[in-house]
Amino acid sequence: MIDFHTHSSASDGAISPEKLLARAAREGVQRFALTDHDTINGYLAVKDRVPPGLRLVSGVELSCQWSRVGIHIVGLGFDPDAPKLLQHLKELDAARLGRAERIAERLAKAGMPGALAGAQSVALGAQIGRPHFARWMVMAGHVDSEAASFKRYLGRGKPGDISVLWPSVEVTVRAIKEAGGLSVLAHPLDYKMSAIKLRALMADFAEAGGDALELINGRPKPSDTATLWRLADELQLGLSVGSDFHKDTPYGASLGVDISEIPAGRGIWERL
Ligand code: AMP
Ligand code: MN
Ligand code: MN
Ligand code: MN
């Protein structure tokens, strides 16, 4: 059992890094990465206090862009002290804060003043993201559910969907590589791209030095996994897996992915 894609309360997850690791160990996960959005603060907090039976690798899920589409790249096994990576994370912090300010302006215009302070009070010092706005909007009574806040205000094409100049795929992969880590293209089928565009993204990712694609993210459909197998074979990319766990939900994935059906030589875990 491996889980190389998870979130804690250091970004938009519900559970503290400590509790998440304890739970992963209890549920039989052997190798684990905490991959919060654009921050390694959660990883730094627990890296020297890993429960017995669990092997922790460094991780982060970096926001970037390709052809104006927001893309996520998971970095694994990097040196958390590498100056260029730390600089990269600092720039992402600033981009997120700038975006949060603009989201709040848009929400104020839509009749929801005080969203920045509200989202910050929900985030409690975590890397701020749209889910914190969503939770605040529910608490403030503006919407009935977080899903509704994405649907009406924060999701693609809605007022709170602010385009951000995230770094390029190339710059992102380089920052991870120069820190000694491996790069994984996260949830490739979530970008809603045509097959041709997705293949072009993957080719650019591979060209930039990307190492693997995420074959399993949460609970994929078998047909999606088949599509990703074909792409990975074609582009000679390695494979990674993760639950993308944020919190317990009725139909959500639990921690850990069984890798027994992935043939030897393909898993990125063999290189970490
Ligand atoms: P951000 O990184 O701030 O752009 O926020 C993106 C995060 O919001 C994702 O990592 C998900 O955790 C969450 N998210 C994205 N779309 C939705 C949605 N439609 N409903 C609920 N959560 C979402
Ligand atoms: Mn998230
Ligand atoms: Mn993601
Ligand atoms: Mn994620």
Side-chain angles (χ1 to χ4, degrees):
M1 289 265 277
I2 288 186
D3 204 329
F4 282 168
H5 190 155
T6 65
H7 297 271
S8 75
S9 54
S11 66
D12 57 354
I15 300 180
S16 71
E18 293 78 6
K19 287 197 174 136
L20 197 62
L21 257 65
R23 177 160 161 181
R26 206 165 56 233
E27 295 185 359
V29 179
Q30 288 145 322
R31 304 193 62 183
F32 188 82
L34 177 58
T35 57
D36 279 310
H37 296 285
D38 303 331
T39 177
I40 58 171
N41 289 343
Y43 167 73
L44 294 177
V46 291
K47 73 181 178 57
D48 298 322
R49 292 182 289 133
V50 180
L54 195 70
R55 272 172 72 194
L56 181 70
V57 301
S58 56
V60 69
E61 182 174 14
L62 297 175
S63 304
C64 59
Q65 65 177 336
W66 179 86
S67 182
R68 299 215 189 146
V69 184
I71 302 292
H72 288 170
I73 292 179
V74 167
L76 296 169
F78 49 79
D79 169 8
D81 296 319
K84 271 190 82 170
L85 182 62
L86 294 178
Q87 180 58 32
H88 189 88
L89 290 169
K90 232 168 130 178
E91 285 163 19
L92 291 170
D93 278 353
R96 277 189 173 268
L97 189 57
R99 179 183 68 157
E101 286 163 357
R102 292 189 54 205
I103 291 175
E105 285 167 18
R106 294 270 186 92
L107 293 180
K109 280 195 189 131
M112 290 170 269
L116 183 59
Q120 281 169 331
S121 74
V122 168
L124 288 171
Q127 183 62 281
I128 197 157
R130 285 178 290 167
H132 302 111
F133 282 95
R135 224 179 305 153
W136 170 76
M137 285 159 77
V138 175
M139 283 164 53
H142 296 303
V143 288
D144 291 339
S145 67
E146 290 170 32
S149 63
F150 271 91
K151 206 164 168 190
R152 289 171 57 192
Y153 298 107
L154 299 169
R156 204 178 294 248
K158 301 299 170 190
D161 175 25
I162 305 289
S163 65
V164 181
L165 281 181
W166 299 118
S168 67
V169 165
E170 215 182 341
V171 163
T172 303
V173 169
R174 198 185 313 139
I176 295 167
K177 201 179 267 299
E178 287 182 11
L182 300 178
S183 298
V184 179
L185 184 66
H187 43 66
L189 300 178
D190 281 2
Y191 307 122
K192 309 282 179 238
M193 288 180 181
S194 67
I196 289 171
K197 264 204 147 181
L198 181 60
R199 205 194 163 285
L201 161 64
M202 281 190 185
D204 282 357
F205 171 73
E207 171 86 26
D211 297 285
L213 63 78
E214 203 168 55
L215 178 71
I216 294 175
N217 175 278
R219 290 176 145 189
K221 291 190 297 212
S223 59
D224 287 350
T225 311
T227 301
L228 292 174
W229 263 119
R230 276 199 302 278
L231 283 162
D233 285 344
E234 196 184 326
L235 293 162
Q236 298 192 304
L237 285 164
L239 302 170
S240 187
V241 299
S243 62
D244 211 349
F245 182 88
H246 285 71
K247 61 181 175 186
D248 284 305
T249 54
Y251 303 102
S254 56
L255 292 172
V257 176
D258 179 353
I259 53 144
S260 58
E261 291 190 2
I262 297 179
R266 298 302 300 275
I268 199 167
W269 43 89
E270 297 181 22
R271 296 168 57 192
L272 285 164

